[in-house]
Amino acid sequence: MYDKDFLERIKKEKEVWEKKHKDIKERNQKFETDSGILVKNLYTPLDVKGDYLKKVNFPGDPPYTRGPYSSMYRGRVWTKRLFSGHGTPEETNERWKFLYEHGETGFSAAVDALTFNGIDPSNKDGAPEVGTSGVPLYCIDSLFALTKDIPIDKISVALVVEPFTSAPVCSMYFNMAKMKGYDLKNLMGTTQNDILTMTVGYIPYKNVPPDHSLRLACDFIEWTVPMKNVPKWHPINFTGYNYREGGIDAVQELGFVFSSACSHIDNIIERGWKIDDFVNRFAFHLSAHKDFFEEIAKYRAARRIWAALIKDQYNAKDPKSLQFKFHVQTAGSSLTAQLPEVNIARTAIQALEATLGGCQSLHTNSYDEAICLPSKKAALVALRTQQIIEDEARITNTVDPLAGSYYIEWLTDEIEDRVWKYIDKIKNIGSIDKALSSGWLYKEMRDAFQKRQKRMERGEEIILGVNKYPMDYDPNCGIFRTNEEAMGIEIQRIKKLKEKRDNKKLESIFDELRNVCEKQENVMPIIMKATKEGATVGEICDIYREIWGIWEPPLAI
Amino acid sequence: MTNKKIRVLITKPGIDGHWRGGIVVARALRDAGMELIFGGFQNIDQIVESAIHEDVDVIGMSIHSGAHMAYTRQLFERLKEKGVENDFLVILGGVIPVNDFPRLKGLGVANIFGPGTITKDIVDFITNNIES
């Protein structure tokens, strides 16, 4: 990036400087990033390699290292989108409206474990968990209740469901929107639809095998975007965040995400579509973890890797296909149950990483995350944290303000190199469903979280209040409790629905779904019909299970 | 007692798939020389059945779903029905607020290990309470 003579001068002067200070002792023998990259004492122009225009360039221009858009936050700030859901759809609607009134600009539905796993509340195995970890969305009536009085034509909604339930839950949302008179052609939102979340990020309860999950994810992508049924929707959000929370590092996070994206692209291209027909609607969801500079470098590296991957390996022609756009969630696993107020500071620092790294959308965690679901007050503090960055700290004044920092540019290069190597490693295992069914990804996860646990227990990874200055839990801290009546309310909701729907008509729709599943055709058209007629998520998922069988993940202990 | 290895069932009641904690603990107990049965997802009937059939000393339930009161209550009801409520050391782990510890202990839980637990503390607790 600099001319030769200039670098020669710096090199000489640096040697002089090093000699002068060689006897000064440092605190540690080595300093390294969270992912184990060795960090030098100082970075200078000597560490910044390559051509600025090729590697960094201007925002909105390839390889988009500085951002997908030319104006970034000067044009439009990130979407303030809190992941939120509890109790019943009505209670979640209240919380959503409360946050909206206080400046939230996007919604994200955290669903409960039954919705996630395609289980109706009449199933005794899951009944105690109705509404305890998210909002129950078992049938179309719940979607009407969730979005009551919310202008879903103006504000985007993220539905955090995975391939196993993305078709039933999102078809309920689309049908609800249509019945309310909205045109699906203009509807904005995101479906997480991420196979790895529901396999290695979180263990699936009676889900179907990975090859079917991958196909279900691609059915949804195909039906919404290239088939143009909901063309402005983000049909998939590769959620590195969820497996990062399991203990893997920043390099592995990007490696998992890009390898998974390639398997989905390959599947959709096999169906006869071209890369530019769909890939510009792909979205990503990354973590903002503890290592401040490493996370910022990670976002910049991710943009550059994606542009190269899509251009060089898939020959995309549309510049939009090369733009890496992402949501960030601050790291829940970095928070402590001890002195939870300290989590406000942790989250604020992580939110700065996300915004200095150029995210398009952001969830900030509530300080009570390590104890319970977010209380109203804790959620508001989390929202205000984002608003401080937006309205008070003025970090949005210029685009990619850390570009040109010798350390940041060097670290961006370093992460990029390591991610490419990791992508190659996964490629040798095979497509993402094979990396799952062979157990390879589970072993990577297990090794990562065992290693992290040991580092934590040896005090190498410091957690304040836990392994440094340890303290007890505070028995007087406030707890947000979800509605204990939720199970009864949801069982009643489904009972009423079953009384009013045309059960005979549904039976024949279910037979058609069985047929579609057996032939492995796109499930979306028939599921749109089914949920409009009042089919529940559990009923549809039971048909998947009946035809494709239940998968036992190869957990490595 | 001292010649016999301590046998532990680590299980996840219900359908919530947050798995990291349970596996970290399972591995730590195995590394400490205990015999480990990993139940995975189990309903309460299956947990009690496994505990009896496998003749375990300890039942460890990993719960992150917020439904810890309901599952613990069900567990002790079922153990009582079978007349084995005093046969096992029951411990819990997961995202469980300290405010609920007294009620859980009142039901019969020996100890609860929340976020940030050092696994050695679990090993020591089990060893001290089974051997004494």
Side-chain angles (χ1 to χ4, degrees):
Chain A
M1 300 226 185
Y2 305 95
D3 76 57
K4 245 180 163 179
D5 292 348
F6 174 73
L7 290 177
E8 275 304 314
R9 265 171 49 219
I10 300 280
K11 201 175 162 193
K12 259 190 210 152
E13 289 300 321
K14 194 173 172 238
E15 280 165 9
V16 173
W17 179 83
E18 275 166 351
K19 239 182 215 163
K20 203 161 70 184
H21 299 288
K22 71 177 182 343
D23 294 331
I24 291 177
K25 286 217 163 55
E26 295 185 329
R27 283 185 294 117
N28 296 334
Q29 272 194 324
K30 61 176 184 179
F31 291 79
E32 54 183 22
T33 67
D34 177 76
S35 71
I37 299 172
L38 272 181
V39 179
K40 295 192 285 187
N41 60 338
L42 192 78
Y43 290 85
T44 68
L46 296 167
D47 298 292
V48 184
K49 306 271 182 339
D51 182 336
Y52 174 85
L53 291 175
K54 280 191 186 135
K55 276 180 60 188
V56 182
N57 210 0
F58 301 106
D61 284 343
Y64 304 100
T65 310
R66 305 197 64 178
Y69 306 117
S70 60
S71 64
M72 291 299 285
Y73 303 147
R74 287 172 68 106
R76 184 176 177 276
V77 294
W78 65 91
T79 304
K80 293 173 285 292
R81 188 190 298 282
L82 297 193
F83 183 50
S84 173
H86 65 265
T88 62
E90 287 81 3
E91 287 166 278
T92 301
N93 173 265
E94 284 301 313
R95 175 68 67 86
W96 282 20
K97 284 192 289 201
F98 168 76
L99 292 168
Y100 186 52
E101 282 159 18
H102 284 278
E104 190 180 35
T105 53
F107 296 119
S108 176
V111 301
D112 71 358
L114 290 88
T115 310
F116 227 53
N117 285 301
I119 305 261
D120 282 342
S122 50
N123 180 321
K124 285 198 172 54
D125 285 358
E129 294 174 42
V130 172
T132 61
S133 57
V135 56
L137 299 177
Y138 310 142
C139 62
I140 190 164
D141 294 359
S142 310
L143 274 294
F144 278 97
L146 179 71
T147 57
K148 189 167 179 269
D149 302 326
I150 288 174
I152 57 165
D153 56 332
K154 294 190 181 70
I155 183 161
S156 63
V157 174
L159 297 165
V160 180
V161 284
E162 311 311 339
F164 189 56
T165 56
S166 55
V169 174
C170 299
S171 69
M172 280 158 26
Y173 187 85
F174 296 151
N175 279 318
M176 172 276 297
K178 263 166 89 172
M179 290 177 192
K180 281 187 172 179
Y182 298 118
D183 185 355
L184 295 191
K185 297 271 184 293
N186 298 321
L187 202 64
M188 294 173 305
T190 305
T191 301
Q192 191 159 93
N193 201 23
D194 178 70
I195 186 171
L196 294 182
T197 289
M198 205 52 192
T199 48
V200 295
Y202 185 94
I203 296 301
Y205 176 84
K206 295 188 179 169
N207 284 200
V208 294
D211 52 334
H212 294 290
S213 288
L214 177 63
R215 212 185 47 253
L216 284 173
C218 294
D219 280 358
F220 186 76
I221 297 168
E222 183 185 37
W223 184 84
T224 47
V225 177
M227 290 170 81
K228 296 193 166 62
N229 287 295
V230 200
K232 290 186 179 169
W233 201 258
H234 292 291
I236 192 160
N237 197 10
F238 295 95
T239 311
Y241 173 83
N242 285 325
Y243 4 119
R244 182 74 187 279
E245 283 290 282
I248 57 171
D249 63 32
V251 171
Q252 291 174 302
E253 179 188 356
L254 292 188
F256 278 32
V257 152
F258 289 129
S259 302
S260 180
C262 288
S263 294
H264 290 74
I265 293 170
D266 295 342
N267 181 301
I268 293 164
I269 287 176
E270 271 171 33
R271 297 177 187 219
W273 301 99
K274 293 198 173 62
I275 185 86
D276 290 319
D277 292 338
F278 61 89
V279 86
N280 67 355
R281 298 312 296 164
F282 278 21
F284 297 84
H285 175 165
L286 301 179
S287 172
H289 224 282
K290 291 194 271 192
D291 189 322
F292 188 80
F293 291 115
E294 184 170 66
E295 292 302 291
I296 295 168
K298 176 188 78 180
Y299 305 131
R300 301 177 83 250
R303 284 192 287 260
R304 198 151 75 202
I305 295 166
W306 182 246
L309 190 70
I310 299 306
K311 187 163 183 272
D312 301 343
Q313 296 191 14
Y314 292 102
N315 295 312
K317 302 277 183 285
D318 182 353
K320 283 198 181 107
S321 300
L322 313 183
Q323 294 166 346
F324 181 85
K325 287 166 279 184
F326 64 104
H327 170 76
V328 168
Q329 182 161 354
T330 57
S333 62
S334 73
L335 306 184
T336 59
Q338 293 86 346
L339 196 62
E341 292 84 350
V342 173
N343 296 329
I344 300 172
R346 292 188 174 105
T347 298
I349 291 170
Q350 293 163 5
L352 260 183
E353 294 163 6
T355 48
L356 289 171
C359 70
Q360 277 58 61
S361 168
L362 176 61
H363 162 94
T364 30
N365 284 320
S366 297
Y367 59 81
D368 49 7
E369 178 91 13
I371 302 167
C372 55
L373 289 195
S375 66
K376 206 168 165 183
K377 183 180 166 191
L380 183 59
V381 170
L383 175 61
R384 285 285 180 266
T385 304
Q386 295 196 32
Q387 290 162 330
I388 291 170
I389 297 172
E390 179 189 347
D391 291 326
E392 297 183 3
R394 300 189 194 217
I395 76 122
T396 55
N397 273 357
T398 191
V399 179
D400 191 23
L402 294 188
S405 145
Y406 311 124
Y407 178 43
I408 282 286
E409 295 297 355
W410 175 86
L411 194 53
T412 304
D413 291 356
E414 190 66 29
I415 289 175
E416 183 185 356
D417 283 351
R418 286 171 187 239
V419 172
W420 282 118
K421 284 186 190 121
Y422 196 65
I423 291 173
D424 281 344
K425 193 174 169 186
I426 302 179
K427 210 186 233 171
N428 287 330
I429 312 288
S431 58
I432 207 73
D433 54 319
K434 293 200 177 64
L436 280 167
S437 51
S438 71
W440 186 82
L441 283 169
Y442 285 99
K443 289 202 187 84
E444 285 292 280
M445 291 290 292
R446 180 216 40 204
D447 291 349
F449 62 54
Q450 298 294 1
K451 190 170 133 195
R452 204 167 279 277
Q453 182 72 19
K454 288 206 172 105
R455 266 168 44 186
M456 195 265 275
E457 299 199 353
R458 285 197 293 255
E460 292 161 13
E461 183 169 333
I462 291 169
I463 307 171
L464 293 167
V466 173
N467 63 4
K468 191 171 187 180
Y469 317 118
M471 55 198 300
D472 288 332
Y473 304 128
D474 175 8
N476 298 317
C477 78
I479 298 283
F480 176 72
R481 301 211 182 260
T482 56
N483 186 351
E484 286 186 6
E485 308 298 317
M487 179 172 78
I489 294 169
E490 295 307 318
I491 287 174
Q492 276 306 313
R493 195 190 309 272
I494 289 190
K495 198 174 156 230
K496 268 191 208 153
L497 173 90
K498 285 187 176 171
E499 281 164 12
K500 73 178 181 192
R501 70 186 192 180
D502 185 343
N503 286 305
K504 215 169 160 197
K505 191 170 173 189
L506 258 180
E507 273 313 316
S508 81
I509 293 175
F510 286 155
D511 281 339
E512 215 177 312
L513 174 60
R514 285 187 183 92
N515 195 18
V516 164
C517 288
E518 264 161 14
K519 288 189 192 150
Q520 305 196 355
E521 291 168 354
N522 194 315
V523 297
M524 273 306 285
I526 187 66
I527 291 179
M528 280 293 286
K529 268 194 208 172
T531 56
K532 192 183 172 201
E533 292 299 326
T536 66
V537 176
E539 286 171 321
I540 289 167
C541 289
D542 278 344
I543 292 173
Y544 290 167
R545 293 183 182 103
E546 177 192 321
I547 308 292
W548 296 327
I550 291 169
W551 185 57
E552 286 293 336
L555 288 190
I557 298 171
Chain B
M1 204 66 177
T2 43
N3 292 329
K4 189 180 158 247
K5 274 190 175 180
I6 296 172
R7 288 170 67 78
V8 186
L9 170 67
I10 295 291
T11 180
K12 281 202 66 69
I15 63 168
D16 167 72
H18 288 96
W19 65 303
R20 177 178 170 180
I23 290 187
V24 165
V25 172
R27 180 70 171 264
L29 299 184
R30 199 173 64 186
D31 289 350
M34 297 181 197
E35 280 183 19
L36 204 276
I37 294 114
F38 190 76
F41 289 120
Q42 290 183 305
N43 61 34
I44 295 299
D45 289 349
Q46 289 165 333
I47 292 172
V48 172
E49 204 172 302
S50 293
I52 295 171
H53 285 193
E54 297 285 350
D55 190 22
V56 298
D57 305 292
V58 183
I59 300 174
M61 297 204 295
S62 170
I63 310 175
H64 295 73
S65 61
H68 45 273
M69 288 308 308
Y71 285 131
T72 306
R73 212 176 290 127
Q74 283 180 13
L75 176 76
F76 282 98
E77 277 166 15
R78 192 84 186 118
L79 290 173
K80 272 186 198 129
E81 275 169 37
K82 294 264 176 187
V84 292
E85 70 270 27
N86 298 318
D87 291 9
F88 308 105
L89 183 79
V90 176
I91 56 174
L92 305 183
V95 179
I96 299 170
V98 66
N99 317 48
D100 290 344
F101 288 10
R103 278 203 291 164
L104 291 164
K105 286 185 176 170
L107 289 169
V109 173
N111 211 345
I112 301 111
F113 298 94
T117 296
I118 305 294
T119 50
K120 192 180 171 296
D121 292 346
I122 307 176
V123 172
D124 290 348
F125 181 82
I126 292 175
T127 313
N128 293 336
N129 282 278
I130 294 297
E131 283 176 354
S132 59

